[in-house]
Amino acid sequence: MSAEATSPGARSRRRGRTSIDLRRLGRAALLGPASRDRLPDAIGHVADAHRAHHPDADLLVLGKAYVLAEMSHRGQFRKSGEPYITHPLAVTLILAELGAETTTLTASLLHDTVEDTDVTLDQVRAEFGDEVCYLVDGVTKLEKVDYGAAAEPETFRKMLVATGNDVRVMSIKLADRLHNMRTLGVMRPEKQARIAKVTHDVLIPLAERLGVQALKTELEDLVFAILQPEEYERTRAVIADRATTGPSLDTIAEDVRRTLREADISAEVVIRPRHFVSVHRARLKRGEMRGTDFGRLLVLVGEDADCYAVLGELHTCFTPVISEFKDFIAAPKYNLYQSLHTAVAGLDGAVVEVLIRTHQMHRVAEAGVVALGNPYTPVDGAEPADGERADPTRPGWLSRLLAWQESATDPDTFWTTLRADLAQDREISVFPADGGMLGLPAGATCVDAAYAQYGDDAHGCIGARVNGRLATLSTVLADGDTVQLLLAQGPVQAPGDSGGPGPSPEWLDHARTPAARIAIAGWLAANPESLKVPESEPRAPGAVTAGRRGVANVVVDVPEDATVRLAGCCTPVPPDDVTGFLVRGGAVTVHRAECSAVGRMAALGRSPVAVSWGDEAECRVTLYAESFGRPRLLADLTEAIATAGAAIVSANVEPPSEQRVRHTYTLQLPDAAGLAGLMRAMRDVPGVFDVRRAQHEPAS
């Protein structure tokens, strides 16, 4: 994989690291090993860094891999003039400093051999085993000769699929891209910008998701320098000048150390300078920078409990900024990150951010999945019962990505969707009512949850309950919500056929995850008639009236020829408490006593008329039914009404709105005692979520 000459400014971001002369390493690489029983001099830095994390590591395999890499790359040079072997050496050193285990380092030394030399995967497998071979294959590019313009997106697809089986593939790719970005300076500006843009859109979000902050922050600075050179120079000038207003971080760090010593808490307090992009963001947010804005305090302790002890002391002895407190120990981030975040203010009001974590948490925070070593090592020497290797580093986002990429067969669709998916930089967790957990990007809706839980079966989703309450499919979910997805009974068919309703075009406006959008778009493309909503959905019919009765089953204290009618706003039935009012034309309208119209009549000064129920058992009532739209719903409801022995006097069905339909039925019952059973029967119809009696005037 190509890499170029050293870029200006890279040296300033390598503070605290041993200086390595790539040209010297290149000359040593050409000389080969000094003897057969020790490592080549050229990988001495790698060996030292590796032993610092893994004192008992067997380095012979690294020497063997180096010899193969050096021999196969001999005669190849980078555009900067160094022997090509300096690139795999630098990539391996980056991973060794992060604490990668020996297999990863072996593969990183060989990661370009199959792509750029005559070495084959079969040779790598024969010499180093299946795992190293898989890692090398995972990061090997696809040939432009075979794939043309699709080579880059299909290479990333290949790497992501390989990462799904072994996360170490992406670790090598990230280190490879970091070294290439460090040495990008000799390339044409337009090519630098193109590589930096891909790094910004794809590699940096992947580094964030895998928790490899050490690589992510340096990649951000390198991309920042290329894509926003003016802002980069302005930020560098701000850092060089460093504001002197207020107390310095050194002063506050010493105050924190003294506070923790007095509390008898053993802790290491260090100052963590902000990297360039972080300073840039802080400057845009805060305007004028103070001395404490250029870094954070990092407090490292031995045990989890010590983290909370430190937090208590800081909040007791300093003024805490409550809005800045976050507990990522009790609730770790999706990328394995754990830490306590807080901010405290000194006596003069200067605020400093503080990170509190254990040494192990710090290691994972910096190196992410790389710090976990080999995630596939069997526990106690035993393989998992199901024959599959459990990978604790495979979070929800990666599983989602692997699922939707199978449906995005077109390279352009995959590439565009991948960038959009990775741009969503925050995760939430929601909990299905039947157990388990779904990881979704922030801003996800019930539509996304449906496809995450049920896949293509979510085409039949007709609604949802969020935290026990009915909600539309467009409802945006929050972290920790409980979600119950309601699916139509029967298979989802094309519009006009029997079965579930299928997704509507509006669902695309609500979907945030690629899996949901690809599935919905695929169904709509396969069922174009579903887009013809006015033709395929029946319009609301006018009220259908049959068998109107002229006399209500009530007795009123008025002349016998007066017309009596039951109010449509509340449709009273025996044994409701009722009252009546004279209206125009000498008619008497009978209302339920709790009807809101009674109060309005009294406010107008109208006197009530005494009303009582007669001896007839029959009654008339108006019911409102709320349901999710689906085929045959009206037929099922009318069948339930008929089975309960009620006659439909009139019915009105409103057009669907967000898959919800409102029905209004005026029914004649043979006995008011059967009303409760009728309403239960209507509620039991699939898709109906509420049935109630009329309480007020229906909206026009």
Side-chain angles (χ1 to χ4, degrees), residues 39 62 89 126 128 149 165 178 193 292 295 317 393 424 443 493 585 619 627 632 644-645 665 693:
L39 286 172
L62 290 181
L89 277 170
F128 301 98
N165 292 322
L178 176 58
T292 54
C317 300
T393 69
Q424 304 177 77
Q493 305 276 348
C619 66
S627 72
R632 294 190 53 82
Y665 297 99
R693 289 175 62 186

Side-chain angles (χ1 to χ4, degrees), residues 295-316:
R296 298 167 175 162
L297 295 187
L298 173 63
V299 181
L300 298 174
V301 294
E303 304 291 338
D304 290 11
D306 295 335
C307 295
Y308 293 97
V310 170
L311 180 71
E313 289 299 322
L314 293 182
H315 283 192
T316 300

Side-chain angles (χ1 to χ4, degrees), residues 401-677:
L401 190 155
L402 294 172
W404 69 252
Q405 67 84 25
E406 293 180 356
S407 303
T409 54
D410 177 63
D412 290 337
T413 301
F414 166 76
W415 197 228
T416 302
T417 308
L418 175 65
R419 293 184 182 210
D421 189 13
L422 293 176
Q424 304 177 77
D425 59 355
R426 209 162 56 79
E427 288 264 316
I428 62 171
S429 298
V430 298
F431 302 91
D434 54 357
M437 185 191 78
L438 297 176
L440 296 170
T445 65
C446 293
V447 170
D448 300 302
Y451 282 94
Q453 184 172 2
Y454 295 113
D456 286 346
D457 289 343
H459 292 330
C461 190
I462 56 176
R465 292 181 183 271
V466 178
N467 301 325
R469 296 190 173 191
L470 285 164
T472 62
L473 293 178
S474 61
T475 300
V476 176
L477 300 171
D479 195 30
D481 279 349
T482 299
V483 183
Q484 179 185 3
L485 287 313
L486 308 175
L487 302 184
Q489 294 184 342
V492 176
Q493 305 276 348
D497 297 336
S498 59
S504 69
E506 289 78 14
W507 286 21
L508 285 172
D509 297 330
H510 310 323
R512 297 291 179 271
T513 57
R517 295 187 62 82
I518 291 173
I520 295 166
W523 193 91
L524 294 174
N527 300 278
E529 61 272 27
S530 63
L531 301 175
K532 304 174 183 178
V533 177
E535 290 75 19
S536 61
E537 295 290 343
R539 304 301 297 172
V544 180
T545 306
R548 294 182 62 86
R549 291 174 54 88
V551 179
N553 181 29
V554 290
V555 178
V556 295
D557 189 12
V558 293
E560 292 184 5
D561 58 350
T563 302
V564 179
R565 62 172 179 260
L566 301 178
C569 59
C570 58
T571 57
V573 298
D576 292 339
D577 291 334
V578 289
T579 185
F581 291 93
L582 278 168
V583 295
R584 264 178 221 151
V588 176
T589 303
V590 179
H591 296 265
R592 291 161 63 187
E594 64 268 25
C595 180
S596 58
V598 172
R600 292 198 298 271
M601 292 288 191
L604 294 173
R606 298 192 182 183
S607 301
V609 176
V611 179
S612 61
W613 293 107
D615 296 330
E616 295 183 24
E618 288 188 330
C619 66
R620 183 175 296 184
V621 65
T622 297
L623 299 178
Y624 296 148
E626 301 278 351
S627 72
F628 299 110
R630 67 171 177 85
R632 294 190 53 82
L633 178 64
L634 188 59
D636 292 343
L637 263 174
T638 54
E639 182 180 353
I641 292 170
T643 303
I648 299 176
V649 176
S650 66
N652 187 72
V653 182
E654 299 179 9
S657 174
E658 291 191 348
Q659 293 286 317
R660 301 177 75 166
V661 183
R662 189 185 192 197
H663 310 246
T664 304
Y665 297 99
T666 299
L667 308 174
Q668 190 73 30
L669 279 72
D671 190 334
L675 177 59

Side-chain angles (χ1 to χ4, degrees), residues 57-117:
D58 180 6
L59 301 181
L60 291 181
V61 68
L62 290 181
K64 184 178 176 183
Y66 168 77
V67 169
L68 176 59
E70 189 277 321
M71 290 179 61
S72 59
H73 287 299
R74 186 173 293 179
Q76 295 179 348
F77 295 84
R78 309 185 81 219
K79 289 187 178 180
S80 55
E82 288 97 4
Y84 195 87
I85 189 63
T86 59
H87 171 63
L89 277 170
V91 172
T92 306
L93 180 60
I94 290 170
L95 291 169
E97 289 177 335
L98 290 174
E101 37 69 58
T102 308
T103 301
T104 303
L105 301 186
T106 303
S108 68
L109 281 168
L110 301 170
H111 78 272
D112 276 344
T113 54
V114 174
E115 180 180 320
D116 294 334
T117 75

